[in-house]
Amino acid sequence: MTNNKDETIAAAIAVLRQNDRGHYTVPTHGLYPFQWNWDSCLSALGQSHYDEDRAWTEIETLFEHQWEDGMVPHIVFHEPDDGYFPGPDVWQTHRPVPTSGITQPAVAGFAIRRLYDRSPDKSKIATRATTLLSKVNRWHEWFYRCRDPKETGLVAIIHPWEAGRDNSVDWDVAFEEVPTEGVMPFTRRDTTHANPEHRPTQAQYERYIWLIQHFRNLGWDNTQLHDASPFQIVDPGFNGILLRSCSDIADLAAELGEQSISKSSAAIVEKGLDAMESLWSDEFNQYLCMDRRRSELIQSPSIAGLLAIFAYIRQDRGKCIAARISDLGTRATYLVPSHDPAAPEFDGSRYWRGPVWLIVNYMIADGLQRIKEHTTADAIVRSSLELIAHNGLAEYYDPHTGAGCGGAQFTWTAAMVLEFLQMQTPKTE
Ligand code: GLC
């Protein structure tokens, strides 16, 4: 691409507009032709730089498809498209507009607070913000009711796609518990749009589909799915995002006069941040995922344990995470690899097993700035901007070579570029 700021902004806005379908945005043409949950919330931040109204609409559209129980699905299939598998015929959730039956990282609370804070005329958007606030709160309540039935303060994911980190090394051992017998015959479509070497393996896909069939057979009843799932992982990044969103809606609710949402969200945060301590590893100097069924920490140094810094975690933990990231910088050209390059499972071009993802960089950099770890935050922002300057607005990047991988012209990468340009610490002359 280019190093010129105005040209970079123009290129990013062009991608956002190109993937805009009017009231929602697709992650990229071809590979992902529907609306994805956390993609939309993060992409709305990018849209807010040039069209505030459109940014609110992006999140409003997503929440129009919230389930009656409060869940917000990970995909909304607005228009039929044969280019993606698994489509509505596999999920069979029987919604008026078809959706998937699982969820994704709850970044909406953070996003609406940021949109609100940025708005030049708050009185104009107060009603929209209040309406969304109560929907986001219902989603959060759903999480703690359905995904934390023992009230530990931390929620579990029941499918790798819920974490948004589809094929992370974190799942490898736990995934062995997911059978493959009885999986329907299927044809993947992702490998026709992207290099198969950059995508999850066939064995992983069979387990993804087995879980969908299993949940479908239980009628997508969220009062049953958690306990019935052979895969229950407490992911520190996922919980970190959720807790950050709870903190943000607690503040936003206070500002909008919604005292009861404010109080209950603050209580969730207090309990959740305490519980996060159970995921800390002194050995790895970061948080780790926990396999809830085995009650064991998963000894896998992935980005999930660093992403936790997006929540208002303890300052000393945040400092350790900053040190961990600097250390990763000695083993990778670009920050932040999604898995430690020193680990044998690391793969620099395969999806969530090593590549750099700009949305994760953004959330980590935000957390680092909060605790004034500016050197590390700046290094992440610099890496991110260099990646797009040299390799375009790709889905993700190889942390050694910087090569763009997966889909091209990617919406949330474009959105993050606009955010990073704003985050750059001004140089003092
Ligand atoms: C992939 C990613 C997921 C993302 C989706 C759409 O499945 O792993 O995080 O939401 O693509 O971009």
Side-chain angles (χ1 to χ4, degrees), residues 276-340:
M276 283 288 279
E277 281 303 294
S278 62
L279 306 181
W280 183 260
S281 160
D282 281 329
E283 186 191 337
F284 286 91
N285 214 20
Q286 64 165 80
Y287 296 96
L288 296 176
C289 285
M290 150 124 39
D291 184 333
R292 182 170 269 175
R293 289 177 65 95
R294 296 167 189 228
S295 295
E296 270 171 19
L297 283 181
I298 300 171
Q299 308 294 311
S300 164
S302 83
I303 196 131
L306 311 176
L307 179 53
I309 198 170
F310 194 47
Y312 297 153
I313 52 162
R314 281 168 41 174
Q315 181 101 356
D316 56 333
R317 300 300 190 214
K319 300 265 172 217
C320 291
I321 288 175
R324 256 299 272 153
I325 293 171
S326 307
D327 182 41
L328 287 174
T330 64
R331 294 193 280 287
T333 319
Y334 298 96
L335 291 171
V336 181
S338 49
H339 203 72
D340 190 333

Side-chain angles (χ1 to χ4, degrees), residues 147 156-163 165-166 168 170-179 207-208 210-211 214-215 225-234 291-293 298:
R147 296 307 180 75
I157 54 157
I158 59 171
H159 192 295
W161 289 345
E162 292 200 310
R165 300 185 299 115
D166 306 16
S168 168
D170 294 347
W171 329 134
D172 286 359
V173 174
F175 226 27
E176 294 296 318
E177 300 297 317
V178 178
R207 293 188 160 95
Y208 298 148
W210 188 93
L211 284 171
H214 181 56
F215 301 148
L225 300 191
H226 173 278
D227 289 355
S229 178
F231 181 86
Q232 297 170 3
I233 306 287
V234 180
D291 184 333
R292 182 170 269 175
R293 289 177 65 95
I298 300 171

Side-chain angles (χ1 to χ4, degrees), residues 52-302:
E52 188 197 354
D53 173 60
R54 180 64 190 80
W56 284 99
T57 303
E58 185 73 25
I59 304 180
E60 284 165 349
T61 302
L62 177 68
F63 277 84
E64 274 163 27
H65 302 276
Q66 182 167 30
W67 286 18
E68 284 66 30
D69 66 1
M71 188 191 75
V72 184
H74 102 292
I75 307 175
V76 183
F77 298 102
H78 291 281
E79 301 281 343
D81 192 314
D82 290 342
Y84 178 82
F85 174 85
D89 52 322
V90 178
W91 292 95
Q92 295 174 20
T93 56
H94 307 298
R95 305 276 314 162
V97 172
T99 71
S100 70
I102 55 173
T103 194
Q104 253 193 337
V107 73
F110 159 77
I112 62 168
R113 165 147 189 226
R114 194 140 280 196
L115 290 188
Y116 183 85
D117 286 350
R118 246 174 220 179
S119 179
D121 185 355
K122 304 210 183 335
S123 64
K124 251 170 102 183
I125 44 114
T127 310
R128 291 175 94 168
T130 308
T131 307
L132 269 178
L133 174 78
S134 84
K135 292 182 176 192
V136 171
N137 184 53
R138 278 217 311 127
W139 187 23
H140 293 176
E141 287 172 349
W142 170 86
F143 267 117
Y144 290 99
R145 198 173 60 247
C146 297
R147 296 307 180 75
D148 181 22
K150 296 218 170 105
E151 301 185 8
T152 66
L154 297 174
V155 302
I157 54 157
I158 59 171
H159 192 295
W161 289 345
E162 292 200 310
R165 300 185 299 115
D166 306 16
N167 65 338
S168 168
V169 175
D170 294 347
W171 329 134
D172 286 359
V173 174
F175 226 27
E176 294 296 318
E177 300 297 317
V178 178
T180 52
E181 292 80 44
V183 173
M184 57 185 263
F186 61 87
T187 309
R188 290 171 64 174
R189 303 304 307 268
D190 57 317
T191 42
T192 60
H193 298 290
N195 182 346
E197 298 291 311
H198 298 174
R199 300 284 311 171
T201 63
Q202 183 64 20
Q204 284 162 340
Y205 250 81
E206 285 176 11
R207 293 188 160 95
Y208 298 148
I209 302 306
W210 188 93
L211 284 171
I212 295 175
Q213 287 177 224
H214 181 56
F215 301 148
R216 185 177 85 185
N217 291 339
L218 294 167
W220 296 109
D221 175 358
N222 273 307
T223 62
Q224 293 185 50
L225 300 191
H226 173 278
D227 289 355
S229 178
F231 181 86
Q232 297 170 3
I233 306 287
V234 180
D235 173 324
F238 191 92
N239 278 278
I241 292 173
L242 178 56
L243 289 170
R244 169 62 180 271
S245 280
C246 288
S247 299
D248 281 344
I249 73 157
D251 290 351
L252 183 59
E255 190 154 340
L256 293 168
E258 299 286 336
Q259 297 312 336
S260 109
I261 293 182
S262 181
K263 254 181 92 181
S264 59
S265 301
I268 290 175
V269 174
E270 208 187 321
K271 180 168 172 182
L273 289 178
D274 275 352
M276 283 288 279
E277 281 303 294
S278 62
L279 306 181
W280 183 260
S281 160
D282 281 329
E283 186 191 337
F284 286 91
N285 214 20
Q286 64 165 80
Y287 296 96
L288 296 176
C289 285
M290 150 124 39
D291 184 333
R292 182 170 269 175
R293 289 177 65 95
R294 296 167 189 228
S295 295
E296 270 171 19
L297 283 181
I298 300 171
Q299 308 294 311
S300 164
S302 83

